[in-house]
Amino acid sequence: ILFKNRFNGRLVLYDRYYFDHFIQPTSRNLILPFKKLFLAFVARPTLIVHLNASSVEIYKRKQDLPEKEIEIQNSYLDKVLRDYDNVIQLDSVERNEKELVVDLFYKTIDNFVFYK
């Protein structure tokens, strides 16, 4: 309803898993050098929303990875996201949930207008 993109008029949605293959310790050193080739086989999201947080903050929320690994994953994700012009980055530490939703709403509308 809001937006039609290049994928047969469908909005392409992903969770964080779109970039998981680039940041996981088991595959990142193999896949990152071939990122562009690899992504040629994956539908590109219309819009990427990245909630920024430090490794310390992420670890407080979920302790399934050590802080050092989260730091490495944040670094890899920053490298991957630099190649995209459809990224909305929001600080998930400094803002409360309501502020994030409002900011995301306006930035999403701006982004859709830009790609129209």
Side-chain angles (χ1 to χ4, degrees), residues 38-92:
F38 188 76
L39 286 176
F41 297 100
V42 181
R44 181 180 172 172
T46 304
L47 184 64
I48 300 168
V49 178
H50 181 229
L51 299 175
N52 290 324
S54 69
S55 57
V56 174
E57 289 296 325
I58 293 171
Y59 185 76
K60 285 180 191 177
R61 297 174 192 169
K62 190 174 180 187
Q63 291 89 30
D64 62 335
L65 292 175
E67 278 185 58
K68 184 64 179 166
E69 177 58 31
I70 296 169
E71 233 175 84
I72 292 168
Q73 288 187 7
N74 276 349
S75 173
Y76 272 79
L77 193 55
D78 285 341
K79 289 178 190 174
V80 171
L81 290 177
R82 284 186 209 143
D83 291 340
Y84 291 85
D85 59 357
N86 60 336
V87 178
I88 294 174
Q89 296 204 41
L90 301 172
D91 186 337
S92 65

